[in-house]
Amino acid sequence: MKPKLLLTLLLSVATFYIGVAQTVKTLATFEVSIRGLSVVNDRVIWVSGTHGAIGISRDSGNTFKWISVRGFEETDFRDIEAFDETTAVIMGTGEPAYILRTADAGETWEAVFVDKTKGMFLDAMEFWNENSGIVIGDPIDQKFFIGRTFNGGITWRGIPPENYPVADDGEACFAASGTNICKINNKEVVFVTGGKKSRLFIRDKKIDIPFTTDSASIGANSVAAKNSKMYIVVGGNYLAKDSTSNNCFITKEAGNKWIVPKTPPSGYRSCVEYIEKKQWVTCGFNGVDITNDDGMNWKRISDEGYNVCRKSKSGDAVFFAGDGKIGKLIF
């Protein structure tokens, strides 16, 4: 093949792939608000939400089996961690706060954590692996609750109260998507807060995030990590869904320096997820945005609102869940 012809073909192929737009395809609709989403692999997806509802798909989201957890029909399960087709842990916020576990694909559930303390409100869970996990709750007496499991959620216990992170006045977590806590390596997590104070907590450090802090509805809602130093935090004002002001911050230095995107996401965002290389995705009430340059420039790819987005733990698929619908990222 002549070099000139080969170059023309290569340029044509490159132009085609650059022009292919990402979008979000709606897979299912229903009458439940979903904030918990766990993608085991490209086939197996679990979701959790209002009215004690749990959904399980074994065919990449094309069909779902729906379960109403008996005795918890009025509970809002705002986070879920699934390990395979049959085993999962779900988190009910409060009061009382519950964590339930199933080992038979949702046919039966065991209450593995119950806390009736006044003011107890769980926000999110994160697991390093199939054994080790952590749950975070809003402050009681100015201290964030932290609970741990070391056996896949079969049992949970709070860390010593003297080690609970101390909150400032008006500071709390948003239970918007189960993603305000995120693992950054095999041993550590970070979590983010909002309200009258918005901070990133890592080890014993408390680092201010430059969100506007003049309202309880403003602040960090979600954090995702590329590695132990680079994170993207999203949020904003959930009462102003279209506002692009102070809704995303980037750090490449573990919070020691914050970068403001040149082109921010197109509104309040409740969840952010790292995909691969320099690609991330974020979602909120008014749509979905994607970036291919580590968060510096975001592009809106869907006007459909979602609460949470998660990538497959052992695959490439990215799914979304929200109020009455589940979607999938299409490349």
Side-chain angles (χ1 to χ4, degrees), residues 13-149:
V13 171
T15 301
F16 171 78
Y17 280 107
I18 291 172
V20 173
Q22 295 119 341
T23 188
V24 179
K25 177 183 178 181
T26 301
L27 301 179
T29 58
F30 38 83
E31 296 182 358
V32 175
S33 176
I34 297 294
R35 292 188 183 273
L37 171 62
S38 186
V39 185
V40 177
N41 52 48
D42 287 352
R43 296 182 303 102
V44 180
I45 309 152
W46 292 63
V47 296
S48 64
T50 53
H51 307 299
I54 308 297
I56 309 170
S57 176
R58 297 179 175 87
D59 60 2
S60 303
N62 292 310
T63 61
F64 277 84
K65 176 184 177 181
W66 289 97
I67 300 161
S68 182
V69 181
R70 187 174 302 173
F72 293 86
E73 291 83 0
E74 300 304 317
T75 301
D76 187 359
F77 291 111
R78 292 206 180 186
D79 200 4
I80 184 168
E81 183 77 24
F83 304 109
D84 51 40
E85 294 185 15
T86 59
T87 310
V89 178
I90 53 177
M91 183 199 78
T93 51
E95 303 169 355
Y98 285 100
I99 298 177
L100 308 181
R101 189 178 188 273
T102 184
D104 57 10
E107 295 298 320
T108 61
W109 295 85
E110 180 183 2
V112 292
F113 175 87
V114 182
D115 195 312
K116 298 181 180 181
T117 303
K118 184 174 177 57
M120 173 63 76
F121 190 96
L122 299 180
D123 295 290
M125 300 183 293
E126 178 72 313
F127 277 74
W128 285 271
N129 50 53
E130 292 188 0
N131 292 312
S132 184
I134 187 170
V135 63
I136 183 172
D138 274 349
I140 298 177
D141 297 328
Q142 297 293 108
K143 291 186 176 182
F144 290 98
F145 172 79
I146 301 290
R148 291 296 313 273
T149 180

Side-chain angles (χ1 to χ4, degrees), residues 4 35 41 131 143-144 159 186 233 253 288-289 327:
K4 187 174 181 179
R35 292 188 183 273
N41 52 48
N131 292 312
K143 291 186 176 182
F144 290 98
I159 66 173
N186 292 330
V233 180
E253 301 175 21
V288 177
D289 297 272

Side-chain angles (χ1 to χ4, degrees), residues 39-316:
V39 185
V40 177
N41 52 48
D42 287 352
R43 296 182 303 102
V44 180
I45 309 152
W46 292 63
V47 296
S48 64
T50 53
H51 307 299
I54 308 297
I56 309 170
S57 176
R58 297 179 175 87
D59 60 2
S60 303
N62 292 310
T63 61
F64 277 84
K65 176 184 177 181
W66 289 97
I67 300 161
S68 182
V69 181
R70 187 174 302 173
F72 293 86
E73 291 83 0
E74 300 304 317
T75 301
D76 187 359
F77 291 111
R78 292 206 180 186
D79 200 4
I80 184 168
E81 183 77 24
F83 304 109
D84 51 40
E85 294 185 15
T86 59
T87 310
V89 178
I90 53 177
M91 183 199 78
T93 51
E95 303 169 355
Y98 285 100
I99 298 177
L100 308 181
R101 189 178 188 273
T102 184
D104 57 10
E107 295 298 320
T108 61
W109 295 85
E110 180 183 2
V112 292
F113 175 87
V114 182
D115 195 312
K116 298 181 180 181
T117 303
K118 184 174 177 57
M120 173 63 76
F121 190 96
L122 299 180
D123 295 290
M125 300 183 293
E126 178 72 313
F127 277 74
W128 285 271
N129 50 53
E130 292 188 0
N131 292 312
S132 184
I134 187 170
V135 63
I136 183 172
D138 274 349
I140 298 177
D141 297 328
Q142 297 293 108
K143 291 186 176 182
F144 290 98
F145 172 79
I146 301 290
R148 291 296 313 273
T149 180
F150 298 94
N151 55 12
I154 296 173
T155 58
W156 294 80
R157 66 174 183 268
I159 66 173
E162 60 268 23
N163 294 333
Y164 287 168
V166 177
D168 276 0
D169 290 338
E171 181 180 19
C173 293
F174 290 104
S177 60
T179 59
N180 52 30
I181 188 167
C182 172
K183 63 184 178 183
I184 58 173
N185 55 41
N186 292 330
K187 295 181 180 180
E188 296 175 305
V189 297
V190 297
F191 73 89
V192 293
T193 63
K196 297 291 185 178
K197 189 82 169 181
S198 202
R199 295 188 291 179
L200 181 140
F201 287 67
I202 175 173
R203 306 184 196 93
D204 296 327
K205 295 181 180 179
K206 303 172 186 178
I207 303 169
D208 288 344
I209 311 173
F211 284 95
T212 304
T213 55
D214 57 358
S215 170
S217 62
I218 295 175
N221 277 233
S222 176
V223 57
K226 182 175 184 177
N227 50 49
S228 60
K229 291 189 176 182
M230 181 173 181
Y231 330 131
I232 292 182
V233 180
V234 299
N237 187 346
Y238 66 79
L239 297 179
K241 67 177 183 178
D242 297 318
S243 174
T244 60
S245 175
N246 294 307
N247 66 348
C248 178
F249 296 96
I250 307 158
T251 180
K252 298 181 180 180
E253 301 175 21
N256 291 315
K257 180 181 178 181
W258 293 102
I259 303 168
V260 179
K262 293 179 180 178
T263 309
S266 51
Y268 156 79
R269 292 294 174 257
S270 56
C271 188
V272 62
E273 181 80 329
Y274 173 65
I275 300 177
E276 63 175 1
K277 297 178 181 178
K278 294 186 176 183
Q279 190 173 66
W280 309 61
V281 67
T282 186
C283 62
F285 295 151
N286 73 350
V288 177
D289 297 272
I290 201 162
T291 176
N292 294 301
D293 58 4
D294 276 337
M296 290 305 298
N297 294 280
W298 295 85
K299 179 182 179 182
R300 188 155 165 172
I301 60 171
S302 174
D303 294 333
E304 288 288 332
Y306 291 94
N307 296 323
V308 57
C309 50
R310 302 295 279 177
K311 183 187 176 185
S312 168
K313 298 177 188 177
S314 60
D316 299 316

